[in-house]
Structures are given as C-alpha cells and as structure tokens.
C-alpha cells in the first residue's frame, strides 16, 4: 500500500478536529514492540532505528503517550518476536490501549517496513501502515513520513474508543483532481461515498484504496474542506506514466523473444513498480531453469516525455552453474544410486550437452527433496527426515556441490486396517478393494491410492464430495502403523448440466455422444473417467479436461468438458523397402473430423516400381445419430511380382455396432475383381494355378474390445480383435476360403512414464470346395508392421523349385516393445524391441523355426501424424539375408 494512501489519517483528522471534535483529557497510551526482521544479513540495527524514530514521531503528539521504551528493549534482548496473541497480552499488562508491531524486510537494496496497529481492548487489527524504499540511506525520511501516517491513524482510532466526541457531517460535494488520461467518471465509479449522504471516514479510506487499486496512480490523497453545504471531498491523484517501450539488455544466452514471453510489463500499459519487481524474479527464474543460477536482474526507467517512460531490464547473466556432485549423509537403507534415481536434478556429464540435465535449478531440487522423502515413506520409513540441502558454489562460480542430510529411522509395517464413518458397503467388501493390507510395509502412496479408490467407489454411487481421511496411529514399540479410513459421504449429487468448451470446430453432439454421464442423473466417477478416455481416443483433441463446479443447489453439479482441438486433417507420407517392391512411397490426404461431424474421409495412393494402389474411404461413425458406424471403400491395386502381375479393383461396405461398453462388432462385405496374368514360365505351381480373372465375394466379421487410453499414443489399456473372413460358397464368386486372425495388444504402464507393450498375432486361412487359397490371401511376414529387421514379405514358406516366398496358411507374430520418453514436450519417444514369428504352410508348425529380430527406434507424434524410425537386426540370419533393415513411415499405425 502506498504511503499516500495512508496519509488520509492525518489530513482527514486535522480537518475533523478543527471543526467538529474536542479532545479527551487522558492521552492515548501506545506501546511499540520489537519488529521481526527478514533478511540474509543482520539488520537488527536498522530495526532499532526504525522503532526509535517511530517513538520520536508519536511522542510529539500531546494526545499520545508512548510507554517506556526500556520495556521494548528488554523484550528485544530476550531475542523473541511476540505473536499477535502475546502482543495483546503484553499491551494489556503494561496498560497500553494500542500496540504497534510488524516487520522489516531487506531484499537486495530494497527495504520495506510493515506496521500493524493492534487495539488491545477489542483485540482487533485497527490499521496497517507500509512503506518501501530503495537504499538504507533514504529510510529515515520515509520512516518519519510513516510515523505521521501511524499517528493520524491512532488519532482516528481514538474516536472509535470514545476519546473524542464527533458529530456527523454530510458530504456536500465530491471531486477528482490531478487526472489527465483517466476520466473523472471512471474514478468516481470506483468509490462508495456519495454526495448528500452522511460522511464516513471508514468509507473514505475504502474509497482511497479502491482508487489506488485501479493500478493507474502512483499517489492518491484526499482533501477535505468544511463548507456551508457540508464536507467537500476532493480525491487528488497522481497518474503513473505510460510505458512507451520495454527493452532487454545484457542477454546473450537467452533470446529476447523468450524473455518477453515470461514478463508481464508490456508497452502502452501503465507503469507498475510491483509488476516490474515480479518480472525481475520471472527473468531470474527463467535463467535459473537454463542453468544461470547466479544471474542478476535490475531495471532502469527513462523518462521520454511528460507522462511517458521507457523501461529496460538489465541482465547480468554470469555463467552456467553445473551440478558437480550430489552426495548424501545418513543414508543406510538406500544407496546414493537409488536416491539419485528419484531425483530430477542430475550430475553434469557429457550427455548434458544434449539432455540439458546437470544444470542446477533450486526449484527442481526442492521437488527432489520431496521425492526422496516419498521414497522413504513408501518403504515403511514413516519417521524419515530429509533436511535442507547444503549447496556450495565452487570458487570459479561454475560448479555446485549438493549435500543432502537424511535421518532414516526404523522401518514400519501396516498394523490394523479399518474403515469407519458412512459405509455404503460392508467393511469386508471395502477392505477387499484396498491395497493397504495388515503386515505389509507401510506405503504412503498405497494409502493415497486407497483414498482415491474409496472416493471412486462412493463417486460411482453419486457421492461426488465424499471425504476420505486416513487416520493413522504409530506404535513405535511394535513399529506398526494402524490405518483407519474415515469416510464422510456427504450428500448425493446429481448432474444438473454439462457444458462443452473449447470446441471451435467439433460439434457439441460429437463430444456429447462419447460421454458416459448424463444430465439429470447421479454423479458417476467412473463414467467421467471413461468419458475422458473416450474423447482422447477420438484423436480430435490434444487435451481433454473434465471439471466440476457447484450447481444451483448443494446437491447439484455442473460438469465442464474443456477440449483443446488438434488438426484432424493430414497429408501423410511413408517410405520403405522390400525385396519385391524395392523403394515404396505412399501418400494420403485424410480428414478424421469432416466439418466437425466426426466423419472420416481418406484418399490414399501407394506407388513403387512394382505397385500402384489407390483407395477412397469414407466412414460415418454415428449413423442416424445412433451408435452404429457405416462406411465404404473403393480401391484399385496393380502389382508386379517376379513371376506374375496382379490387377484388382473393387469396394466394400462396412457397419459397426457397440456390443458392450468398449466392445464393438464390425461387419464388412467386399466385392473384388482380381486378374493374375503375365505368369512366368518357371513360376511355382501355386502361382500358375492363379492365372486368369476371378471375382472374390467375401464377408468379414470382427469383434473388437478397445480399452486403450489414447488412439495415437496409448500408455495403458489393451486392444483385442478377433476377425473371420469368409469368401465364396453362398456368397458366390470364384474363390472359396476362410481366414481367421486374432490380434492382442496390451500396454503396461511402467515407472518414470515408460510403457511396456506386448502384441501378438495368430492367423489361419484355408480353402474349401476344391479350390486353392489365393496367393494374395496367404500370410507373408517381414517389414515394419510384423518382423522388423527383415525385408518386407520376405518371411514365409518358399517354393521348393524357384525359392520364391509363396506365403503360408498360418502365421504367428510376437512383438515386445519398451517405450520411454526422450523429449516430453515435443512428444518424442524412444523404444527398444524384440520381434519373433513365422508363417507356415499346410502341415507345418514348428515353433523351433521361429525367426527373431531386435532393434531400436524413435516415435514422434508429429503435426502431420505419427512418425516411426526403426532399425531392426536379424538375430538368426540365414544365407542370402541382410543383417539389418532401416525403415520409416509417417502416418502409419502399428
């Protein structure tokens, strides 16, 4: 608060005393207590000077008696800063009617004094006074002015306790002076005092604060004059200058644009010194995050013309401070290596040039202390303590050495586990759902998960505001912790309304139809969780938030579904290499949320020296606003093989039905005309049998259960699909076969945001009616989507005469992936993988002949779609095979 705001006390009281007050005979007794100090250096001398000057100013007023300062000195010598309750008690014991307490803070060159005026009789805060100055040399003058403010406020308070009798006055006129840019009406709109109403000094003080709070003024005072028509009140303001330009100086390591992003001081706004200081801290925090721990920031204000200034932030960057060593004192249970694993702060190494780890950040270190403590708490060490880290800077200011003291204590186990309070199920049922079990090591994380689990159970019954408190009792003798989950269920809550926000493109109904909670029905915690997952899996949004706010009654709630849309149109490209097709290029143009309706359309072309494929696809996910998907595909495929050429064109019609929650049934009818010609004279018998034109008529049924938490980047959940394709027979056509494929895909969340993925495929195809299996329906493995490291379509049974891969009637594939984040903000992940599988012909199925490969790769959820870069190595290389294969694809799924 500005000194000018508080000067109201003196100005206003003088005006009052001259016209409408008489003094009481007894003076006002005031005691000044020692002020608390806050600084890295010793400022006790400054504190004594401030208290002495305040006493000197107050003693000049005949209406005020300052209680003997020796008593204040004795309190100071005891080295204890009194609490507010102790201050009241001390004042009462010494006969004071008011007590002054407060604090002095010194940060850099800035010194601030905060005075609190306590009414001893009523035990209430009677007033606040505050001043701030740059440089200790200017402090005496500012404290003198502050003392005048305090004196005026004390005299004003004398009126409230009956020291002075005052008669009421009427406000005759209110005016504003000193304003140039800010209109008078805008200022008067902020005050509560009105012409013709009774005069109130409390309201005038509130008006001063309100005007100052507008942020446009550096000084606000009030002038009060008695006239025949009543009190004439004039608010005198001094406008802050406008900022013409904001400059950055001294920055070399961080670009000006990045600094401008974090500061809030902008051109063409009113100068705000408080905001300037906050911006200084923001810039320092930015430099700390980049490793410049010793960076210093100041500012300069240069007048340009009357009412306008330029502001320049002056930066002294220093050098990057790197973490040289992290060590621990007192750790016996966990090694330094174990403790460092939970820390984000890392010791500097050569890899830090890439990862940026090893740069000191005090905020990050503070988080690390909590992470270390959590590790102990999660392993039964409930009495563990982690002390403040000791941070030492090397003489050359380039390295920091961190020492963390630890007191581990003994290990505790879980004693009795109980639930109490408002139970909606039996104790046995609730306890069975908990992870905290008697005899297990006590874990704070397990207790937290159990709180969430109980909240979810109650939330599924409509108790949205259930309160679960873990009551613990520690038995140090037995070294056990008894845990009782005390439940207060609250009132059952109903969803009054669901608001959709953030969707500038996607229509409301497209979002609402994915929700599993409904207006008018009870709150359903699991339904909200599943709704968020459903929306994430659409692939339309970068972020989905579902929050709640109070409704029109205590048992009513409003849900807000806030989405951040992502581009759903894409131009995707992919490339690869196979022994048959050589270099392959594929391109596609797709839109997965056509006109915001959720409809999908895709145009795709795949071209190589041997292949030409064109596809047009359309999908309506909700046919006639029912949970039934429908779509069609039109395609043409021309492909040259070493011994023949295949031409085909056709189309299909698709339908999908929700069977149960995450389970869907899909039906597809496909009609395709296939021609095999240009068959080589030395081709295999199987291929020669395919020569000619034929029509394939088939229907495919697939059952899919998908619980993945994301369409593009899942980290948990699974997808299982069982499909059966039947061609010929009653469907007519020239081919008769049945193909069965089951695919399972499971994601396991692992520590540190990593994921383990397991994918398996089993396939079988057979013919009937005396016809053979079309070669293009057989199973060929190898390539980025099956066995990485092997060339595309290079794995499978071969013709005994020609050695050509002719595909199998059975396939088995296993893919294992361990996925880990590389650059979280850029959504870049790395992985290592192991693939195994093979394709077999009739009568063959030898698991001992499984082909294997391993490798690594990078996944990037790029703006144009998922990007895959993967390098596989063959582990059981055979004659004529390449040892490794690099492949990449954009917009592909796997």
């Amino acid at each position: 608060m500005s000194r000018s705001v508080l000067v109201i006390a003196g100005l206003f009281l003088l005006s009052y005393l001259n016209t409408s007050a008489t003094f009481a005979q007894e003076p006002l007794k005031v005691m000044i207590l020692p002020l608390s100090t806050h600084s890295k250096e010793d400022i006790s001398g400054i504190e004594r000077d401030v208290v002495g000057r305040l006493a000197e100013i107050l003693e000049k007023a005949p209406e005020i008696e300052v209680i003997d300062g020796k008593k204040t000195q004795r309190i100071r010598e005891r080295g204890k800063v009194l609490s507010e309750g102790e201050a009241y008690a001390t004042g009462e014991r010494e006969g004071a009617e008011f007590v002054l307490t407060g604090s002095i803070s010194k940060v850099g060159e800035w010194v601030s004094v905060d005075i609190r005026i306590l009414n001893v009789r009523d035990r209430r805060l009677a007033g606040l006074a505050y001043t701030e100055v740059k440089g200790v040399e200017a402090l005496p003058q500012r404290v003198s002015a502050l003392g005048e403010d305090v004196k005026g406020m004390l005299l004003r308070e004398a009126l409230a306790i009956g020291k002075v009798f005052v008669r009421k006055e009427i406000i005759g006129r209110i005016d504003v002076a000193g304003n140039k840019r800010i209109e008078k009406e805008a200022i008067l709109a902020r005050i509560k005092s009105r012409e013709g109403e009774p005069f109130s000094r409390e309201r005038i003080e509130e008006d001063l604060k309100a005007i100052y709070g507008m942020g446009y003024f550096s000084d606000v005072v009030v002038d009060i004059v008695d006239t025949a028509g009543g009190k004439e009140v004039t608010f005198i303001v001094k406008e802050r200058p406008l900022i013409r330009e904001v400059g950055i100086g001294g920055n070399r390591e961080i670009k000006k644009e990045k600094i401008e992003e974090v500061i809030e001081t902008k051109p063409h706004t009113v100068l705000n010194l408080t905001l300037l200081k906050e911006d200084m801290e923001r810039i320092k925090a930015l430099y700390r995050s980049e490793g410049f721990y010793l960076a210093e920031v100041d500012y300069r204000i240069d007048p340009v013309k009357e009412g306008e200034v330029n502001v320049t932030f002056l930066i002294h960057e220093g050098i990057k401070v790197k973490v040289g060593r992290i060590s621990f004192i007192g750790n016996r249970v966990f090694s330094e290596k174990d403790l460092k694993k939970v820390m984000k702060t890392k010791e500097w190494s050569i890899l830090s040039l890439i990862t940026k780890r090893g740069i000191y950040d005090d905020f990050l270190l503070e988080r690390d202390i909590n992470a270390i403590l959590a590790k102990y708490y999660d392993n039964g060490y409930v009495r563990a303590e982690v002390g403040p880290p000791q941070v030492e800077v090397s003489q050359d200011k380039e390295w920091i050495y961190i020492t963390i003291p630890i007191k581990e204590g003994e290990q505790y186990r879980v004693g009795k586990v109980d639930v109490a309070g408002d139970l909606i199920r039996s104790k046995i049922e609730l306890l069975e759902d908990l992870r905290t079990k008697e005899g297990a090591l006590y874990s704070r994380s397990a207790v937290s998960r159990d709180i969430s689990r109980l909240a979810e159970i109650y939330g599924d019954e409509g108790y949205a505001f259930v309160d679960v408190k873990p009551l613990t009792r520690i038995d140090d003798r037995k070294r056990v912790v008894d845990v009782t989950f005390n439940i207060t269920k609250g009132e059952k809550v109903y969803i009054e309304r669901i608001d959709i926000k953030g969707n500038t493109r996607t229509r409301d109904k497209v979002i609402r139809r994915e929700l599993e909670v409904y207006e008018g029905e009870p709150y359903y915690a699991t339904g909200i969780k599943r709704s968020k997952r459903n929306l994430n899996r659409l692939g339309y949004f970068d972020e989905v938030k579902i929050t709640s706010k109070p409704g029109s009654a205590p048992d009513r709630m409003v849900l807000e579904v806030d989405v951040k849309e992502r581009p759903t149109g894409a131009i995707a490209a992919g490339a690869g290499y196979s022994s048959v097709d050589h270099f392959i290029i594929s391109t596609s143009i797709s839109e997965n949320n056509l006109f915001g309706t959720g409809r999908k359309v895709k145009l795709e072309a795949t071209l190589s020296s041997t292949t030409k494929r064109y596809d047009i696809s359309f999908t309506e996910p909700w046919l006639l606003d029912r949970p039934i998907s429908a779509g069609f595909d039109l395609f043409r495929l021309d492909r040259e093989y070493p011994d023949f050429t295949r031409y085909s064109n056709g189309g299909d019609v698709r339908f999908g039905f929700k069977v149960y929650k995450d389970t869907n049934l899909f039906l597809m009818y496909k009609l395709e005309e296939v021609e095999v010609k240009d068959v080589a004279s030395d081709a295999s018998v199987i291929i020669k049998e395919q020569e000619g034109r034929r029509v394939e008529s088939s229907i495919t049924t697939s059952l899919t259960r998908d619980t993945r938490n994301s369409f593009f980047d899942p980290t948990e959940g699974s997808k299982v699909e069982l499909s059966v394709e039947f061609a010929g027979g009653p469907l007519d056509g020239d081919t008769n076969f049945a193909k069965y494929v089951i695919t399972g895909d499971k994601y396991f969340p692992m520590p540190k945001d990593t994921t383990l993925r397991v994918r398996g495929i089993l396939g079988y195809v057979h013919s009937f009616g005396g016809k053979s299996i079309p070669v293009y329906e057989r199973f060929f493995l190898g390539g980025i989507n099956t066995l990485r490291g092997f060339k595309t379509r290079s794995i499978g049974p071969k013709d005994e005469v020609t050695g050509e891969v002719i595909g199998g009637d059975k396939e088995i594939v296993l893919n294992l992936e361990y996925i880990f984040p590389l650059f979280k903000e850029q959504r870049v992940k790395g992985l290592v993988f192991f693939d195994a599988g093979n394709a077999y012909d009739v009568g063959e199925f030898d698991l001992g002949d499984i082909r294997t490969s391993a490798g690594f790769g990078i996944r990037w959820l790029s703006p144009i779609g998922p990007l895959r870069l993967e390098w596989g190595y063959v582990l059981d290389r055979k004659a004529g095979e390449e040892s490794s294969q690099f492949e990449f694809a954009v917009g592909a799924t796997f």
Side-chain angles (χ1 to χ4, degrees):
M1 183 183 296
S2 169
R3 167 190 169 275
S4 301
V5 174
L6 298 173
V7 81
I8 170 59
L11 293 173
F12 173 62
L13 194 58
L14 288 174
S15 175
Y16 239 75
L17 297 176
N18 286 335
T19 59
S20 56
T22 58
F23 282 103
Q25 294 181 353
E26 290 292 330
L28 200 65
K29 293 184 178 181
V30 178
M31 185 175 189
I32 306 177
L33 294 177
L35 307 179
S36 62
T37 58
H38 306 286
S39 178
K40 292 182 178 178
E41 56 189 272
D42 182 11
I43 58 171
S44 57
I46 297 176
E47 184 270 340
R48 286 191 295 270
D49 291 344
V50 170
V51 171
R53 187 167 291 273
L54 283 175
E56 181 182 341
I57 296 298
L58 296 181
E59 286 172 343
K60 291 180 180 179
E63 304 85 14
I64 297 175
E65 176 187 336
V66 178
I67 293 177
D68 188 2
K70 293 181 179 179
K71 295 179 180 180
T72 299
Q73 179 62 25
R74 285 197 295 270
I75 295 173
R76 181 184 290 109
E77 289 172 354
R78 289 201 296 267
K80 181 181 179 183
V81 177
L82 302 184
S83 67
E84 197 162 288
E86 291 170 331
Y88 285 124
T90 302
E92 189 173 20
R93 186 173 60 250
E94 301 298 336
E97 295 168 281
F98 290 89
V99 171
L100 302 187
T101 183
S103 64
I104 301 178
S105 300
K106 187 173 186 297
V107 180
E109 297 183 44
W110 289 91
V111 182
S112 60
V113 182
D114 188 349
I115 301 298
R116 298 169 62 83
I117 303 173
L118 306 181
N119 185 316
V120 176
R121 185 186 67 179
D122 298 338
R123 287 185 174 258
R124 65 177 176 84
L125 178 65
L128 297 170
Y130 176 81
T131 191
E132 185 178 43
V133 64
K134 187 174 184 180
V136 176
E137 64 279 355
L139 187 61
Q141 182 180 358
R142 188 62 65 88
V143 173
S144 296
L146 182 70
E148 294 293 339
D149 294 344
V150 172
K151 180 174 68 176
M153 296 178 74
L154 286 169
L155 294 178
R156 182 198 67 191
E157 283 297 317
L159 304 176
I161 64 173
K163 287 286 185 180
V164 180
F165 174 77
V166 183
R167 61 183 178 85
K168 288 187 177 180
E169 296 287 348
I170 300 298
I171 299 176
R173 183 171 180 268
I174 299 176
D175 202 359
V176 177
N179 57 308
K180 298 177 181 178
R181 296 188 306 273
I182 311 302
E183 294 183 357
K184 172 182 174 181
E185 290 73 17
I187 299 172
L188 294 179
R190 291 297 186 102
I191 68 174
K192 295 181 179 179
S193 298
R194 296 289 183 266
E195 294 178 356
E197 294 183 358
F199 180 85
S200 167
R201 64 180 183 276
E202 290 82 3
R203 183 169 292 180
I204 290 292
E205 185 173 349
E206 291 175 2
D207 293 340
L208 274 172
K209 294 177 181 178
I211 295 172
Y212 188 78
M214 294 175 71
Y216 299 135
F217 310 110
S218 60
D219 219 356
V220 184
V221 296
V222 64
D223 182 48
I224 303 168
V225 179
D226 284 308
T227 67
K231 297 286 186 182
E232 185 174 292
V233 179
T234 303
F235 293 99
I236 305 170
V237 300
K238 182 179 180 181
E239 292 184 338
R240 288 176 173 166
L242 279 175
I243 300 173
R244 177 184 286 185
E245 295 179 359
V246 177
I248 309 291
N251 60 305
R252 295 183 303 277
E253 299 293 338
I254 298 181
K255 292 182 179 180
K256 175 183 177 182
E257 291 76 17
K258 193 169 183 178
I259 298 173
E260 289 175 338
E261 288 177 3
V262 303
I263 63 175
E264 295 185 12
T265 300
K266 304 295 182 183
H268 313 301
T269 61
V270 174
L271 178 66
N272 186 326
L273 294 180
T274 301
L275 192 60
L276 279 179
K277 295 171 189 175
E278 292 173 355
D279 283 341
M280 288 167 56
E281 294 304 317
R282 292 187 185 98
I283 296 173
K284 287 176 69 174
L286 174 63
Y287 270 88
R288 282 198 301 268
S289 69
E290 296 290 335
F292 297 92
Y293 177 66
L294 302 176
E296 294 294 335
V297 183
D298 202 348
Y299 66 83
R300 186 180 71 236
I301 300 174
D302 300 311
V304 179
K305 63 178 184 179
E306 185 179 0
E308 289 189 10
V309 296
N310 287 339
V311 174
T312 304
F313 289 99
L314 305 173
I315 302 170
H316 175 66
E317 295 179 328
I319 61 175
K320 276 194 176 184
V321 180
K322 301 184 284 290
V323 179
R325 184 182 66 249
I326 301 173
S327 56
F328 303 87
I329 299 175
N331 60 306
R332 295 175 294 102
V333 178
F334 298 113
S335 66
E336 285 198 354
K337 183 178 180 181
D338 291 333
L339 296 176
K340 288 177 181 178
K341 283 181 180 179
V342 303
M343 298 178 65
K344 296 291 186 183
T345 302
K346 302 295 182 183
E347 293 169 337
W348 196 91
S349 68
I350 192 65
L351 292 177
S352 299
L353 297 173
I354 301 173
T355 64
K356 293 188 177 181
R357 291 182 175 183
I359 303 303
Y360 181 75
D361 185 334
D362 50 356
F363 295 115
L364 201 60
L365 183 59
E366 185 176 342
R367 176 261 172 211
D368 289 337
I369 298 303
N370 293 328
I372 293 170
L373 196 57
K375 183 175 181 64
Y376 277 96
Y377 286 164
D378 287 345
N379 286 275
Y381 295 91
V382 298
R383 297 295 194 191
E385 298 177 8
V386 180
Q390 301 168 12
V391 179
E392 298 180 7
V393 183
S394 63
Q395 290 186 351
D396 59 8
K397 307 296 184 183
E398 188 174 351
W399 298 93
I400 271 186
Y401 304 99
I402 302 169
T403 304
I404 301 173
I406 297 174
K407 182 180 178 182
E408 294 179 329
E410 299 294 334
Q411 192 175 48
Y412 287 67
R413 292 188 173 271
V414 178
K416 296 179 181 178
V417 182
D418 198 6
V419 289
D422 301 328
L423 305 185
I424 61 174
R425 297 182 186 175
S426 69
K427 282 190 177 184
I428 295 176
E429 287 181 294
L430 291 174
L431 289 173
E432 283 179 350
D433 273 323
L434 303 183
R435 294 190 181 184
T436 305
K437 303 292 184 183
E438 185 173 349
L441 285 177
Y442 179 83
S443 168
R444 188 173 64 176
S445 293
V447 171
S448 297
R449 287 192 295 268
D450 288 339
I451 292 171
S452 299
R453 176 57 185 151
L454 289 170
E456 185 176 305
I457 291 171
Y458 277 71
D460 287 348
E461 299 296 328
Y463 298 101
F465 303 117
V466 61
D467 183 22
V468 182
K469 293 181 178 178
L471 307 178
T472 58
R473 189 180 71 84
I474 301 176
D475 188 329
D476 291 315
R477 184 178 62 84
K478 296 181 179 179
R479 292 207 294 271
V480 296
V481 181
D482 297 333
V483 183
T484 299
F485 295 93
N486 192 63
I487 305 170
T488 304
K489 67 181 182 182
E491 196 171 357
K492 183 171 277 193
V493 176
Y494 294 84
I495 298 174
E496 181 177 21
R497 192 174 72 252
I498 300 176
D499 295 336
I500 311 295
K501 297 172 57 180
N503 54 318
T504 58
R505 174 180 173 80
T506 306
R507 299 182 186 183
D508 269 22
K509 75 172 185 178
V510 173
I511 296 174
R512 290 184 184 275
R513 68 195 185 193
E514 299 296 333
L515 303 181
E516 296 189 23
V517 288
Y518 309 97
E519 294 172 342
E521 294 192 358
Y523 178 87
Y524 180 33
T526 299
I528 292 175
K529 184 178 179 180
R530 291 168 60 87
S531 298
K532 182 177 180 180
R533 187 198 64 195
N534 293 346
L535 292 171
N536 275 320
R537 285 186 352 198
L538 288 175
Y540 306 160
F541 312 112
D542 274 328
E543 188 176 14
V544 177
K545 293 180 181 178
I546 301 181
T547 56
S548 62
K549 63 181 182 181
S552 59
D555 65 342
R556 295 290 183 268
M557 172 187 288
V558 175
L559 288 183
E560 284 190 353
V561 180
D562 194 355
V563 299
K564 181 180 179 182
E565 293 185 310
R566 64 151 51 113
T568 52
I571 300 177
Y577 184 86
S578 79
S579 59
V580 176
D581 298 310
H582 302 295
F583 196 71
I584 307 169
I585 298 175
S586 64
T587 61
S588 68
I589 300 174
S590 64
E591 174 55 67
N592 291 328
N593 188 14
L594 188 63
F595 307 124
T597 63
R599 298 187 179 104
K600 299 176 176 62
V601 62
K602 184 175 184 179
L603 306 176
E604 184 174 16
T606 302
L607 304 173
S608 73
S609 60
T610 60
T611 303
K612 295 181 179 64
R613 181 183 177 97
Y614 308 94
D615 295 90
I616 300 175
S617 174
F618 175 81
T619 302
E620 167 60 79
W622 281 66
L623 186 63
L624 302 176
D625 288 328
R626 295 175 179 271
I628 300 172
S629 65
F632 67 85
D633 301 279
L634 298 175
F635 56 85
R636 177 177 176 84
L637 173 62
D638 299 339
R639 184 161 192 167
E640 297 179 13
Y641 294 94
D643 297 325
F644 69 97
T645 303
R646 177 181 184 269
Y647 300 92
S648 68
N649 56 77
D652 61 57
V653 180
R654 298 173 274 106
F655 294 93
F657 309 87
K658 184 178 286 294
V659 177
Y660 177 75
K661 290 185 178 179
D662 301 310
T663 305
N664 294 277
L665 176 68
F666 297 95
L667 299 174
M668 180 180 73
Y669 173 75
K670 181 175 70 173
L671 184 64
E672 181 179 11
E673 182 184 62
V674 180
E675 183 180 6
V676 175
K677 63 180 185 179
D678 301 329
V679 178
S681 59
D682 58 350
S684 66
V685 175
I686 290 179
I687 295 175
K688 288 181 178 180
E689 290 176 350
Q690 306 294 320
E691 189 170 13
R693 186 188 302 268
R694 58 180 50 82
V695 174
E696 186 175 294
S697 176
S698 69
I699 187 167
T700 301
T701 303
S702 60
L703 189 65
T704 302
R705 184 175 186 270
D706 190 351
T707 62
R708 295 175 300 171
N709 62 343
S710 173
F711 180 77
F712 290 113
D713 186 25
T715 56
E716 62 178 327
S718 63
K719 181 180 181 182
V720 179
E721 181 176 12
L722 172 63
S723 68
V724 178
E725 182 180 5
F726 182 85
L731 298 176
D732 205 1
D734 301 317
T735 59
N736 295 340
F737 69 88
K739 180 184 284 188
Y740 314 89
V741 179
I742 181 169
T743 303
D745 211 351
K746 175 69 175 176
Y747 295 83
F748 298 91
M750 305 295 283
K752 297 186 177 180
D753 297 325
T754 62
T755 305
L756 175 65
R757 181 192 184 191
V758 181
R759 176 178 182 249
I761 304 174
L762 288 174
Y764 173 62
V765 59
H766 68 87
S767 60
F768 59 89
K771 298 181 179 181
S772 60
I773 305 170
V775 67
Y776 45 82
E777 296 294 348
R778 298 171 70 86
F779 298 114
F780 295 82
L781 302 184
I784 195 169
N785 290 325
T786 54
L787 300 181
R788 288 159 285 191
F790 297 94
K791 290 185 177 182
T792 303
R793 295 172 62 90
S794 65
I795 302 299
K798 297 181 179 180
D799 186 278
E800 294 181 357
V801 178
T802 65
E804 182 182 358
V805 178
I806 57 175
D809 62 357
K810 293 176 286 294
E811 71 169 348
I812 180 171
V813 178
L814 173 67
N815 306 116
L816 298 178
E817 295 181 349
Y818 183 69
I819 307 168
F820 47 90
L822 290 178
F823 307 101
K824 286 186 179 181
E825 292 184 3
Q826 291 77 23
R827 298 187 293 184
V828 177
K829 294 187 175 183
L831 73 148
V832 292
F833 64 81
F834 172 79
D835 294 341
N838 209 336
Y840 302 93
D841 211 344
V842 178
E844 298 178 1
F845 194 77
D846 182 8
L847 292 179
D849 192 29
I850 290 291
R851 306 303 309 276
T852 57
S853 65
F856 59 91
I858 294 175
R859 303 266 173 88
W860 176 31
L861 197 58
S862 71
I864 62 172
L867 169 66
R868 298 174 60 191
L869 303 171
E870 290 169 19
W871 200 316
Y873 296 84
V874 177
L875 300 179
D876 55 349
R877 181 184 173 195
K878 295 182 179 181
E881 291 181 339
E882 297 289 340
S883 62
S884 65
Q885 185 82 3
F886 172 75
E887 295 180 286
F888 69 92
V890 180
T893 58
F894 171 50

